[in-house]
């Protein structure tokens, strides 16, 4: 009887078993002396997001509903997570609360409005963590338009600061501008795996 051929997987696992049997050494400690904090610069966040082709609106909270009314078409539909503030929604749009909406209804909406967990000024990144005012990850992937409200007290300067505010076990979505990719000829295509249009409402 011909024996089974040895695969690459067998070779790798065999080497791991041999190393463990011989007493593998503890991993070398990784130095963590990089910069962890810096002064928060809201202008830097706005500039980074603009560089990534997001639209940034520096407004007060009282102006959120009017700004969303300007962004979304009158009579349009917008998906909202269950914990989003009703005061942020204008009367000119129809809100679709996500009570388990199927993908077809989410994708057919004119947009989605969410809050955020944290934003990083140095990288121009907004992070969602699935909290009630941010909702399921699919909400920020299927609609063509994403409106995200970010408060100034949610903005940090560096990635390490953001990580300290986030819970790793939560479903984290990191957003740096609208969805975009490039083919082999470096032709930019937007909206392939997320919204084509991203509006950030940055509150003081």
């Amino acid at each position: 009887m011909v024996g089974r051929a040895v695969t690459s997987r067998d070779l790798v696992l065999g080497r791991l078993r041999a190393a463990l049997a011989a007493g593998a050494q503890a991993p070398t400690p990784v130095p963590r002396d990089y910069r962890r904090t810096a002064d928060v610069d809201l202008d830097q966040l706005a500039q980074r997001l603009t560089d990534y082709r997001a639209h940034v609106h520096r407004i007060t909270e009282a102006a959120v509903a009017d700004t969303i009314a300007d962004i979304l078409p009158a009579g349009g539909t917008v998906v909202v997570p269950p914990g989003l503030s009703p005061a942020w929604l204008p009367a000119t749009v129809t809100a679709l609360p996500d009570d388990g909406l199927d993908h077809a209804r989410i994708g057919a909406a004119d947009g989605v409005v969410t809050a955020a967990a944290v934003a990083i000024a140095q990288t121009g990144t907004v992070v969602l963590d699935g909290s009630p005012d941010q909702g399921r990850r699919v909400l920020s992937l299927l609609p063509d338009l994403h409106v995200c409200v970010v408060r100034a007290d949610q903005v940090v300067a560096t990635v390490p600061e953001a990580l300290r505010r986030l819970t790793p076990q939560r479903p984290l979505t990191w957003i740096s501008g609208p969805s975009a990719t490039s083919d082999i000829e470096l032709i930019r295509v937007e909206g392939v795996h997320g919204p084509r249009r991203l509006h950030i409402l940055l509150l003081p």
Side-chain angles (χ1 to χ4, degrees):
M1 180 176 178
V2 178
R4 182 175 66 87
V6 176
T7 66
S8 297
R9 179 177 183 272
D10 295 329
L11 292 174
V12 171
L13 291 176
R15 290 170 183 168
L16 288 172
R17 293 188 187 101
L20 292 173
Q25 295 181 346
T28 303
V30 177
R32 306 284 184 183
D33 55 353
Y34 46 78
R35 184 171 61 174
R36 294 171 179 267
T37 62
D39 293 334
V40 175
D41 187 342
L42 297 182
D43 292 333
Q44 183 183 47
L45 173 64
Q47 184 59 56
R48 292 283 193 272
L49 287 165
T50 301
D51 289 343
Y52 296 144
R53 302 193 185 185
H55 302 275
V56 180
H57 308 261
R58 305 285 292 270
I59 60 173
T60 64
E61 186 160 3
V64 169
D66 288 341
T67 304
I68 292 176
D70 291 338
I71 296 169
L72 286 159
T77 57
V78 58
V79 177
V80 296
L84 192 79
S85 171
W88 288 353
L89 300 176
T92 56
V93 301
T94 299
L96 296 177
D98 179 32
D99 55 2
L101 296 172
D102 60 37
H103 289 183
R105 294 192 69 190
I106 296 172
D110 293 296
V112 60
V113 179
T114 74
V118 67
I120 307 167
Q122 289 185 355
T123 62
T125 304
V126 176
V127 186
L128 313 184
D129 70 357
S131 293
D133 58 358
Q134 297 154 57
R136 296 182 290 159
R137 188 169 186 268
V138 68
L139 300 187
S140 64
L141 296 178
L142 291 183
D144 187 64
L145 167 69
H146 182 187
V147 179
C148 186
V149 182
V150 179
R151 301 189 312 271
D153 62 4
Q154 295 176 306
V155 180
V156 297
T158 66
V159 172
E161 289 176 280
L163 291 173
R164 286 202 296 270
R165 292 196 182 194
L166 296 167
T167 302
Q169 291 76 22
R170 298 191 66 85
L172 303 178
T173 302
W174 297 62
I175 302 168
S176 295
S179 165
T181 188
S182 296
D183 63 16
I184 194 170
E185 296 179 348
L186 300 182
I187 297 175
R188 180 183 174 96
V189 180
E190 298 180 346
V192 175
H193 43 65
R196 264 189 322 114
R197 296 176 292 153
L198 174 65
H199 288 257
I200 302 296
L201 278 51
L202 185 55
L203 311 184

